[in-house]
Amino acid sequence: MIVIGAGGSAAAYELIQLGYDVTILEAQDHVGGHVLTVRGGVTTEEHGKGVQECTWDEGVWWDAGPSRVPFFHRAFFHYCQQLGIPLIDHKNLNLNGWAYAEGIEGSLDGTRMRVRELQADMGGYTSSLLAKAAESSTIDDELSADDLEMLIDYLVSWGMISSDDLNYTGTSRRGYAVPPDTQSSGEVADPFPLEDLLPFASAIMGSNSGYLAATASPTWQTTMVKCADGIGQLFDSGFREFFGERLMLNSEVTEINNTDVGVSVVYLNRETGEEEQISADYCVCNIPLSVLIKLNTNFSREFTEAMRSVPYAMSLRMGMQFNQRFWETEDWIYGGQSFSSIGELGILGYPDDNYNAEKGALLAMYNFGNNSARVSSLSYEERAELALDYGSRIHPQMREHYHSAFSVAWHLMPYSLGAWPSYTEEVREQVMPTLQEPEGNVYLVGEHLSHVNSWMEGAFQSAWMQIPKLHQRVMGS
Ligand SMILES: Cc1cc2nc3c(=O)[nH]c(=O)nc-3n(C[C@H](O)[C@H](O)[C@H](O)COP(=O)(O)OP(=O)(O)OC[C@H]3O[C@@H](n4cnc5c(N)ncnc54)[C@H](O)[C@@H]3O)c2cc1C
């Protein structure tokens, strides 16, 4: 068996477990594909941008691709367990993180507030409005008198509004103007006025695909999981060690042809510059469709058209090392994220490990679509400058403690050419049945074969679908 691409890696793992003789051809000098844990010494070369080398200090790392997994992605947990990879929490929501909005009406334009202030005030005001509507019976078509009473009780607790007049006047949930201490029980800070808060809240909720709101969903829930040393640990220490000598790095496949007796694959040995050819009974191909469509193949017209129909999304992420963890020492933020209304900046993400260490890396920019197109057109240095400019609006200390940045525009990475497949339901329905079937002796695997796009789980599950099919065929032949 030839496996092309050591991205998701589950296909090669399962074939080896079944006892097949497997050769894995991987174009890059590492496994993982879209999984890339960046540390000092890591290099990338985007199309037209030259080589970028990470100069961070030892022990500082950040995930340029996947960084977190929800609890129901069982294949991820399965492989971490099989390969002995330790897991830690990933905080998606930290109420002490910042929310920042600009270009809005009202007194909160260009200001930051804690996420807890935003959530407590919006929860309080909306509870108050709904409770008053319930009390004045403007929604009694929907609910019985008993239900209305229960709804009001619920809103009093949920929004921390007064049970007497149903007004919201602030709550300790949003934090204190004077914190409790040995001398007093503190003073709760006044809420922001609703008319100023609404444009702020709407700008935050409307930006970055509603990231803050999404933390209430199972997929991006408040706490998620990741590998203790970055997601790359599952691939670099886990799969790579398991593959051993079956793995041929720096082997860029340029041609895949079905033959009468199997498959013939041509690849460029990037170490020697030589073109080489190998054959096998079957090939399992993990290359993203955006890259695969550019290779020479003798695939059928229908299969080729199906591959061509799948568009890929743009996304850019940037990590930055700082010489002091000012977000912890000065802002008291330990893990989690800050949310901005600036499309090109997106969110800031804080490390969930090594609290109180001297140095650390932040997710300093995460954007999508046209925002990524604009930022990725800049040089690596210009991107970092832009991120510092935006980030300093939330953390004015950024420049003072800045060490260096590392950015990855996934649509410009030669072996990815996109962040993830961006299916419409129509295209999915049209092409998925074709792509999920073998093309002669070639079976595709990868997240593009799944409905779980933009998640490693989709790639793992595709292997769990394809490898049993292939095994059954071999056993039957
Ligand atoms: C910015 C970003 C954030 C993400 N966040 C998350 C997250 O938080 N959690 C999560 O679960 N998922 C996340 N994902 C999605 C996740 O990265 C992917 O779903 C998954 O890694 C895809 O795996 P794959 O095997 O399908 O493809 P890939 O990982 O792309 O693997 C393809 C492999 O083929 C190799 N290859 C390509 N061309 C050739 C060639 N010509 N010859 C030989 N080899 C070749 C590549 O080098 C690569 O190793 C994120 C992705 C991005 C881009």
Side-chain angles (χ1 to χ4, degrees):
M1 299 278 176
I2 297 172
V3 175
I4 307 176
S9 292
Y13 180 92
E14 296 301 334
L15 285 170
I16 294 166
Q17 293 287 18
L18 286 167
Y20 288 101
D21 179 6
V22 177
T23 299
I24 307 160
L25 299 172
E26 166 55 51
Q28 304 193 67
D29 62 1
H30 59 271
V31 297
H34 278 85
V35 175
L36 179 63
T37 300
V38 174
R39 341 173 167 269
V42 165
T43 59
T44 53
E45 183 171 4
E46 294 175 15
H47 275 307
K49 299 290 170 194
V51 176
Q52 172 186 218
E53 179 168 357
C54 180
T55 58
W56 297 349
D57 292 313
E58 204 178 332
V60 177
W61 59 267
W62 158 81
D63 280 314
S67 58
R68 58 207 162 158
V69 171
F71 67 88
F72 58 89
H73 283 185
R74 300 315 299 170
F76 172 82
F77 284 87
H78 167 76
Y79 287 116
C80 287
Q81 198 170 40
Q82 291 287 308
L83 295 163
I85 304 300
L87 299 173
I88 58 171
D89 276 347
H90 171 98
K91 280 201 201 84
N92 226 19
L93 180 63
N94 177 347
L95 296 180
N96 221 33
W98 294 110
Y100 171 86
E102 63 178 38
I104 56 171
E105 304 224 325
S107 67
L108 297 175
D109 180 30
T111 64
R112 62 180 190 177
M113 67 177 73
R114 300 285 184 177
V115 172
R116 65 182 140 76
E117 295 175 305
L118 175 62
Q119 291 204 335
D121 284 356
M122 283 306 292
Y125 285 127
T126 49
S127 296
S128 171
L129 288 166
L130 183 54
K132 286 175 185 171
E135 199 181 52
S136 63
S137 301
T138 51
I139 53 173
D140 61 359
D141 281 355
E142 309 279 333
L143 297 171
S144 68
D146 281 353
D147 288 345
L148 281 172
E149 208 170 299
M150 282 190 283
L151 174 64
I152 292 171
D153 284 348
Y154 172 82
L155 292 169
V156 165
S157 307
W158 173 251
M160 291 196 87
I161 58 178
S162 157
S163 54
D164 297 333
D165 59 12
L166 304 181
N167 280 329
Y168 173 67
T169 54
T171 148
S172 56
R173 277 186 205 161
R174 70 185 311 288
Y176 291 84
V178 180
D181 61 11
T182 52
Q183 304 303 312
S184 85
S185 53
E187 274 174 39
V188 171
D190 287 337
F192 296 112
L194 180 59
E195 61 274 21
D196 288 338
L197 194 60
L198 280 172
F200 188 99
S202 142
I204 293 292
M205 290 299 170
S207 62
N208 305 307
S209 320
Y211 244 121
L212 177 54
T215 56
S217 75
T219 308
W220 286 282
Q221 60 194 279
T222 52
T223 52
M224 299 173 74
V225 163
K226 65 180 163 208
C227 306
D229 212 15
I231 299 281
Q233 195 178 4
L234 171 59
F235 295 83
D236 300 330
S237 311
F239 286 117
R240 183 173 174 162
E241 279 179 23
F242 177 81
F243 293 155
E245 297 198 342
R246 301 177 185 94
L247 175 65
M248 294 170 62
L249 294 172
N250 293 307
S251 303
E252 179 184 336
V253 170
T254 53
E255 206 171 316
I256 308 169
N257 288 309
N258 275 301
T259 64
D260 291 343
V261 290
V263 188
S264 159
V265 172
V266 178
Y267 66 95
L268 173 73
N269 182 327
R270 295 177 67 209
E271 277 165 9
T272 62
E274 298 288 315
E275 196 170 79
E276 307 196 15
Q277 186 268 331
I278 55 170
S279 303
D281 294 337
Y282 296 97
C283 167
V284 175
C285 181
N286 175 221
I287 301 178
L289 298 175
S290 46
V291 178
L292 183 57
I293 192 68
K294 296 181 187 302
L295 268 53
N296 292 321
T297 65
N298 64 353
F299 295 167
S300 70
R301 198 178 161 150
E302 186 198 356
F303 201 81
T304 307
E305 279 315 308
M307 294 195 300
R308 199 191 307 284
S309 310
V310 182
Y312 273 66
M314 289 185 275
S315 180
L316 179 146
R317 274 165 77 90
M318 185 188 301
M320 271 185 190
Q321 184 191 315
F322 292 90
N323 291 330
Q324 190 189 308
R325 292 166 80 110
F326 56 84
W327 56 91
E328 293 176 359
T329 53
E330 295 173 31
D331 288 8
W332 307 349
I333 298 174
Y334 295 86
Q337 306 181 128
S338 285
F339 304 86
S340 85
S341 70
I342 307 170
E344 289 182 354
L345 172 62
I347 51 177
L348 296 179
Y350 307 95
D352 295 289
D353 68 335
N354 264 333
Y355 295 151
N356 271 350
E358 192 188 355
K359 300 168 182 178
L362 292 189
L363 166 64
M365 182 177 256
Y366 189 10
N367 54 39
F368 311 97
N370 290 338
N371 289 313
S372 301
R374 276 194 298 275
V375 178
S376 64
S377 69
L378 305 175
S379 67
Y380 299 126
E381 294 76 19
E382 288 168 333
R383 292 176 190 174
E385 195 47 42
L386 187 67
L388 280 172
D389 179 15
Y390 288 142
S392 300
R393 300 178 199 181
I394 299 175
H395 290 290
Q397 323 90 317
M398 258 195 175
R399 282 184 190 276
E400 188 188 334
H401 304 296
Y402 176 65
H403 178 282
S404 59
F406 195 92
S407 60
V408 179
W410 284 100
H411 46 288
L412 298 182
M413 292 285 278
Y415 301 110
S416 303
L417 295 182
W420 44 74
S422 168
Y423 279 108
T424 60
E425 278 318 305
E426 198 188 349
V427 169
R428 194 194 296 281
E429 213 170 284
Q430 239 170 26
V431 306
M432 199 79 107
T434 306
L435 297 175
Q436 288 185 346
E437 285 307 309
E439 171 64 9
N441 300 314
V442 178
Y443 288 69
L444 300 190
V445 289
E447 63 163 309
H448 41 279
L449 255 63
S450 150
H451 287 244
V452 193
N453 302 126
S454 78
W455 293 97
M456 292 177 287
E457 190 73 5
F460 295 144
Q461 286 185 4
S462 74
W464 289 6
M465 171 182 66
Q466 297 294 65
I467 300 308
K469 267 196 244 172
L470 171 54
H471 184 52
Q472 202 173 14
R473 179 167 162 191
V474 173
M475 291 292 115
S477 63

